[in-house]
Amino acid sequence: MSKASRARARESADILIVNAEELVTLAGSSQKPRTGKQMNELEIVNDGALAIREGRIVAVGKTREITKTFRGEYVVSAKGKTVLPGFVDPHTHLIFAGSREDEFQMRVEGASYMEILNSGGGVLKTARETGRTRVEKLVELGLERLDAMLAHGTTTVEAKSGYGLTTEDELKILEASKRLNQLHCVNVVPTFLGAHVVPVEFRNNMDEYIDTVVEETITRVARLGLAEFCDVFCERGTFNVEQTKRVLAAGKKHGLKPKIHADQLSMLGGAEIAAGIGAVSAEHLNFSSPEGIRAMAEKGVIAVLLPAATFSLMMNRYPDARFIIDCGAPVALGTDFNANCWVQNQQLVVAMACHFMRMTPAEAVTAATINAAHAVCRADDLGSLEVGKRADVAIFNAPNHKFLGYSTGVNLVEKMLKNGRLVIDREKQDEPVFLSKTE
Ligand SMILES: [Zn+2]
């Protein structure tokens, strides 16, 4: 058979990615997140290739096999590179106005998070600024942030409300999430976090605020279909165990799946609540009890760990990832991007997980991809490179996956594909001016 007729006999694909040094597929965990030792198993194909058609992955394998079967309209060489599923960021507070670098300086100089919050700063300051900001402006800010996240390898982002503190402002934030999901190629998964902090006017009557959240806000959020998950910041100084349970139960009644900010600054039993209510995930977990973690493992509650939050708060106590993994709870990683933790880069979070929590690079990669997809209930569609899944693909300028934990401070993304379309190509960028040759 001539070369031309052999080419005709091959199946057509829109894009082939070929010759990846490591094609990290994370195959085989779409039904259940990876736990324990499985978190180290990445199902890597060396000299790997992918075929993509109509936004979906149609074949995965060795380059030699894929190129024998498929003819690509475009062929992308990943020689010397590492190819991963696009990161899923399962915990962000994407939408808010303003920033808090002044408070950052106060914290550097010794003020604590709770001191700042109690003096009307922190989340309360961001809530005031967000309340004054129109939805169009929030969308504009969100688009910039999604651009930054995509540029660093993330293709799906969970976004929590919570800077509203009134029903109308919470609806405004969730409306901004909905528009962002329509406008930007990055998928935005909305979570209702009405119980984030206590508004000043309810300081002496927190239960009354919870009544509003439970009786009014959740009902309207659910009726408008503006959120998939319901989250609560369970902490000393914010919402106690009883209030947390009330909000999560009300959310569940309206079809919002429970998540919880648990044991971030103190041990309040957040992990136990998550296990008790059958939450999808419990997030932070810096101070969780061993019993709480074991209960989570038993119920399959995902531990979403957020080392960048610990780093931003300049705390010494990171979540005990080794213990959590050993107990068999599935671990995911997120940025916790918010006005207090200006981190949009999941590569940095992977590196922090290795440096500060002694997760192996493979565990951290698992946690930021397939397990993070489970944490937002999207693992049937995202989080691994498998036939049928959405072609959200990150090509890193790294010789292997370990380099992702090892390297910090430099963006390793070379190309990003979202829904099978090349949306970032840093190879195509013009050379910096200082490198241009002078005659
Ligand atoms: Zn958070």
Side-chain angles (χ1 to χ4, degrees), residues 33-197:
R34 284 167 134 80
T35 55
K37 290 193 169 54
Q38 296 168 345
M39 286 192 64
N40 271 313
E41 293 161 14
L42 299 180
E43 304 296 330
I44 292 169
V45 183
N46 296 112
D47 193 16
L50 277 181
I52 295 164
R53 193 163 53 214
E54 288 165 7
R56 299 269 157 189
I57 297 167
V58 291
V60 183
K62 289 271 185 197
T63 298
R64 141 174 59 78
E65 295 156 9
I66 298 295
T67 52
K68 212 186 282 169
T69 324
F70 288 90
R71 179 173 45 82
E73 188 133 352
Y74 294 97
V75 179
V76 176
S77 167
K79 200 163 176 53
K81 319 283 180 198
T82 298
V83 177
L84 249 68
F87 288 130
V88 176
D89 188 344
H91 183 134
T92 84
H93 305 250
L94 182 69
I95 298 158
F96 59 86
S99 56
R100 304 215 301 261
E101 62 275 31
D102 291 347
E103 291 179 4
F104 168 64
Q105 177 159 333
M106 287 165 67
R107 287 190 288 110
V108 168
E109 290 168 348
S112 78
Y113 178 87
M114 279 301 173
E115 276 162 18
I116 291 170
L117 184 63
N118 289 335
S119 65
V123 179
L124 293 171
K125 176 177 186 271
T126 302
R128 282 194 300 277
E129 289 180 322
T130 306
R132 285 196 293 266
T133 305
R134 286 152 45 106
V135 67
E136 291 77 15
K137 179 66 188 170
L138 292 176
V139 169
E140 206 178 289
L141 291 168
L143 288 172
E144 276 172 30
R145 292 166 190 171
L146 290 175
D147 282 349
M149 290 169 169
L150 176 66
H152 290 87
T154 299
T155 45
T156 298
V157 171
E158 186 250 18
K160 301 177 194 292
S161 67
Y163 289 116
L165 306 182
T166 65
T167 300
E168 294 311 321
D169 284 340
E170 283 294 288
L171 292 175
K172 176 175 75 177
I173 293 169
L174 291 168
E175 173 63 29
S177 279
K178 183 180 163 184
R179 292 193 201 175
L180 284 170
N181 188 46
Q182 291 160 350
L183 290 169
H184 203 284
C185 71
V186 169
N187 295 102
V188 178
V189 180
T191 294
F192 170 64
L193 176 61
H196 189 191
V197 287

Side-chain angles (χ1 to χ4, degrees), residues 91 93 261 284 336:
H91 183 134
H93 305 250
H261 276 66
H284 287 292
D336 196 17

Side-chain angles (χ1 to χ4, degrees), residues 22 30 36 53 109-110 120-121 134 141 189 224 262 279 310 319 321 323 422:
E22 283 192 358
S30 297
R53 193 163 53 214
E109 290 168 348
R134 286 152 45 106
L141 291 168
V189 180
L224 293 166
T310 309
F323 178 76
L422 189 63

